[in-house]
Amino acid sequence: MTEGPWGSPTESADRAAEARTPEPAFNTRPAQAWGVFLIVALIGLTYLWQLTAPDPETEFAAALSARSIAEGRWETLFTSMFMHGGVAHLVMNLSALLPFGLIVARRMGPAVGGQLRFLVFYLLAGLAGNGVWLLMGAGQGGAVVGASGAIFGLWAAVLRMRRDGGPLYPLFSWEVARQMVGPLIANVLVTVAFGVMTAGSGVGGIAWQAHLGGFLFGLATIGLFLPPRQRV
């Protein structure tokens, strides 16, 4: 090989390797993923409303339950996604929403269209989680709040994304299958940890059905929301 004006072969290879190196999730400017920060702001404002709600019945009216659907309060399918059952629940969800959300939102692009796709994906993943929770009969025993279904949808989307920004891994591939252990272990650990932290507080357990619904939605549909060059 001969050296040209573009630099030595070694320098060219270094630049190519640098281009393939993924940036950390938190190395993202707000303008690149404003959809995530909008969701975080809405969750924060909703939690402040919960703290100042005049009585438990007012707060319960925005939570999702079989009763709320039977009474025609369909909006609870969405309002419940922004509510949380205490500080521990809020912190645990935000600690997962930020890294996974930033990765997915950045992949969809900083333009208005890309961030709107991110918001739609997030809401639909949460809706899928809530739907599975209801269909599996969990709603008969109480109400559910939290962003976990949507967050597991984001996690599933990340499992299919290549670190170098290339096309998605195929749904039925070893690269996706070998990463499934993480969400399974996380579900067990979160269930145990949340149970310990909320013991005696009157807060219910983990709605694993919502996790499952959001995860399956994200795994199967993320390719519909990404720019064409990043799809399979």
Side-chain angles (χ1 to χ4, degrees):
M1 287 185 175
T2 58
E3 182 176 341
W6 50 84
S8 68
T10 301
E11 290 171 341
S12 299
D14 290 343
R15 283 196 297 269
E18 183 178 353
R20 291 192 300 269
T21 302
E23 296 183 6
F26 289 105
N27 190 21
T28 302
R29 296 187 299 273
Q32 292 179 299
W34 56 263
V36 178
F37 297 101
L38 175 60
I39 290 170
V40 171
L42 290 173
I43 289 174
L45 290 173
T46 302
Y47 191 65
L48 289 177
W49 169 78
Q50 289 183 253
L51 293 177
T52 57
D55 56 74
E57 277 299 314
T58 301
E59 184 179 356
F60 182 78
L64 176 65
S65 64
R67 172 184 163 187
S68 71
I69 298 303
E71 293 176 352
R73 291 185 282 119
W74 297 96
E75 71 278 3
T76 58
L77 286 165
F78 294 98
T79 56
S80 60
M81 295 183 206
F82 297 93
M83 300 173 65
H84 286 82
V87 175
H89 190 199
L90 178 68
V91 171
M92 288 173 64
N93 273 354
L94 289 182
S95 67
L97 169 59
L98 282 171
F100 292 134
L102 290 172
I103 292 171
V104 177
R106 187 173 59 187
R107 291 291 181 92
M108 292 191 182
V112 172
Q115 292 305 292
L116 288 179
R117 286 197 304 273
F118 170 78
L119 292 172
V120 170
F121 175 79
Y122 179 89
L123 291 174
L124 290 179
L127 182 62
N130 284 343
V132 170
W133 183 79
L134 286 169
L135 289 173
M136 295 185 72
Q140 302 299 325
V144 69
V145 295
S148 301
I151 292 169
F152 267 79
L154 295 175
W155 192 347
V158 171
L159 294 189
R160 293 195 59 195
M161 291 178 176
R162 298 177 188 271
R163 289 172 60 90
D164 61 2
L168 293 175
Y169 290 121
L171 178 58
F172 300 104
S173 64
W174 168 245
E175 288 81 2
V176 173
R178 68 185 177 83
Q179 299 179 78
M180 290 293 185
V181 177
L184 291 174
I185 293 177
N187 248 318
V188 174
L189 293 179
V190 167
T191 300
V192 173
F194 191 73
V196 171
M197 287 188 288
T198 60
S201 65
V203 177
I206 294 293
W208 61 266
Q209 301 91 339
H211 296 180
L212 176 65
F215 189 83
L216 292 177
F217 175 87
L219 204 63
T221 68
I222 182 58
L224 301 176
F225 295 87
L226 291 174
R229 61 183 174 79
Q230 295 190 43
R231 300 173 189 170
V232 176

